[in-house]
Amino acid sequence: MGEKEISKKDYLRRLSSVNDLIQAFYRSRMAGNRSIPRELITEASRAVLEGVREAILAARDEMSLKSINTDTEELVSLVEKEVQERIRPSFRRVVNATGVVVHTNMGRSLLPAPAIEALRNAAAHYSNLELDLETGERGSRQMHLRRILCELTGAESALVVNNNAAAVLLALTAHARDREVIVSRGQLIEIGGSFRLPEVMAQSGARLVEVGTTNKTYLEDYRRAITSETAAIMRAHPSNYRILGFTAEVELKELAGLAHEYGLILLDDLGSGVYPDLSRFGVSREPTIRDSLRDGADLVCFSGDKLLGGPQAGIVLGREELVEAMAGHPLARALRPDKLTVAALEATLRLYLDPERALSEIPTLAMLTADPETLRGRAQRLAERLSSACPDLEIEVTEDVSRAGGGSLPMEDLPTWVVAVNSPRLKVNRLEENLRRCDPPVMGRIKEDRLLLDVRTLRDEELPLVVEAFRSATGAAGNGKGAGGTSKGNPP
Ligand SMILES: *Cc1c(COP(=O)(O)O)cnc(C)c1O
């Protein structure tokens, strides 16, 4: 016991001081990087020394003590790693090889090129965000979006807020506060990221009146629930699930007839808000935004960054006096979109004026409707590059299915091509983890002990990034040591 304490003391004594370590760091490779603040280096050095000190104190025997490297050179490389970690932005690019197009955890929709250009402009320059250039007077940021939204959809009026959750909250607050809203039990949804319809409803001050059962709701159920307190009937798109089997749902048209018979508002929360009919691409027929308006919804709301393929936003369309009441509500000010959203959304919407252009230029739509032969070609190119970069990988190009994601089209199996990878030396979970720690991280999906790279969500320019990540994740780069955590997989 006593001996061990003595040798621990020796180890501790051998550690460099914070100052010596900082000096050593400045003599190291990273020292050329002048942009690293000195304080950060000091903090990193302290953290490293603290970590080593703790490891020494926690060592249970001579063996584990001996395994702790206290050489200054080793400590400097730990400081370098620590500094790397600390200067690396938290929000980073990721390569999405999951095939999930509207991946909520990876930022949902990628913006089309004109929207990216519009974002740049809005960010770099002053703009007429709230300036009427005809009169020189104050205008509304909504004016940039209202006309084109009405033109595209035939709606009387339109309002854009921060996201669809905000749109639902505002609609219910402005039109049903302290009154009743009837919803089918089959539509009391929870969407990922804690959007729960009953809770949003409670927050708005509207009282939820549930009708029907989980699998079946009839028009009569709605009719019986109407009282003098009823403000609205709401339909919510079940987004991320479907009720199958013995089911009954009331058509929107019939709901509209009932609502209008009693002077009630029919609110349709479409969720994804698909604009073009995608059924000719083998995607099942979803009610489009126009269908909903045509079938008589008084207010329709949906997300900007799901199947519409634009920036995060909540779009409300509908009858003018209803939309105006929402726009004038004090809550609208708290939920308004910022100028970057306005710019990117307008640019995205303009693409819809030419439906073919929308399908080819809006990444979300292009990925969803990608031709299987194109996908197959891309998968083959990726497989070839991977096998020449990492010859020990077992690689197969095979068919699989992708998902739309974002709570959109949950039952849809989109036929796709994937590169299925198996490493004889790494367990699949380890491979997945190593790829996740690369820079940029590469995210695939695991299926039956293989890592699948679904090329639906990859662009050709990204293939070299995937290859580089695999080289580093499997140790094919350099001397054959596994090096997941230290990759700089960022080829020219
Ligand atoms: C996604 C979704 C929402 C929430 O939309 P956000 O834009 O993510 O706020 C609300 N309702 C439905 C039906 C949805 O699918």
Side-chain angles (χ1 to χ4, degrees), residues 108 163-165 189 191 195 237 239 269 271-272 303 305-306 313:
R108 288 194 180 163
N163 52 33
N164 191 33
I189 48 172
I191 321 267
F195 176 93
H237 191 288
S239 294
D269 174 10
S272 290
S303 293
D305 55 350
K306 291 183 181 170

Side-chain angles (χ1 to χ4, degrees), residues 106-124:
M106 294 189 213
R108 288 194 180 163
S109 285
L110 304 186
L111 294 178
I116 294 168
E117 185 53 29
L119 274 179
R120 242 197 61 78
N121 256 322

Side-chain angles (χ1 to χ4, degrees), residues 7 124 160 231 279 305 345 355 361 384 388 415 459:
S7 75
V160 175
S279 54
D305 55 350
L345 185 57
E361 291 192 30
E384 276 156 29
S388 64
R459 278 168 294 142

Side-chain angles (χ1 to χ4, degrees), residues 334-356:
L335 304 178
R336 75 178 185 185
D338 84 319
K339 64 179 176 183
L340 300 178
T341 304
V342 173
L345 185 57
E346 184 190 359
T348 307
L349 291 169
R350 285 197 177 279
L351 290 173
Y352 279 101
L353 292 171
D354 176 351
E356 290 311 311

Side-chain angles (χ1 to χ4, degrees), residues 365 438 474:
L365 295 180
C438 283
T474 59

Side-chain angles (χ1 to χ4, degrees), residues 32-54:
N33 188 344
R34 302 235 155 260
S35 65
I36 306 172
R38 194 187 163 89
E39 257 132 63
L40 201 149
I41 297 166
T42 310
E43 269 177 39
S45 304
R46 282 219 177 92
V48 164
L49 286 171
E50 192 51 38
V52 176
R53 213 170 274 133
E54 273 169 21

